[in-house]
Amino acid sequence: YQTVENEEYLALLKIADVLLITSERDSVNTIFLDYIASQGGGGSVDEKEEKEYGLPIVSEFIGSASILPANLQVNPWDH
């Protein structure tokens, strides 16, 4: 286990192509929300600027999975 400074944490989320959270049980997972925000989601984007956003893949059992319908939900119990 290692602590990462907030600035470095957000930079890593910004450059990530995929976020994978496969929790079997979770309440509100803020990593998912941090990922969306760091990718530029939720803010206004200049229409001329094209940006490819990363893909969040999250467990259907985390509390924040239902707030964004565009995400890809997986069941970690399915093998």
Side-chain angles (χ1 to χ4, degrees):
Y1 178 78
Q2 185 176 349
T3 302
V4 176
E5 295 294 325
N6 194 42
E7 201 170 282
E8 182 180 3
Y9 165 71
L10 293 175
L12 290 170
L13 289 177
K14 185 175 183 173
I15 64 170
D17 293 326
V18 175
L19 174 72
L20 179 63
I21 300 175
T22 58
S23 303
E24 295 171 351
R25 185 184 311 204
D26 200 352
S27 57
V28 176
N29 192 312
T30 60
I31 295 171
F32 172 59
L33 300 174
D34 291 345
Y35 180 74
I36 297 299
S38 69
Q39 292 282 311
S44 61
V45 177
D46 186 356
E47 291 180 13
K48 296 177 184 176
E49 178 184 337
E50 291 187 24
K51 178 175 179 356
E52 291 187 23
Y53 296 103
L55 175 67
I57 302 172
V58 298
S59 167
E60 62 188 30
F61 300 116
I62 68 169
S64 56
S66 63
I67 64 171
L68 293 173
N71 65 4
L72 179 60
Q73 297 181 24
V74 296
N75 184 334
W77 294 102
D78 289 342
H79 296 272

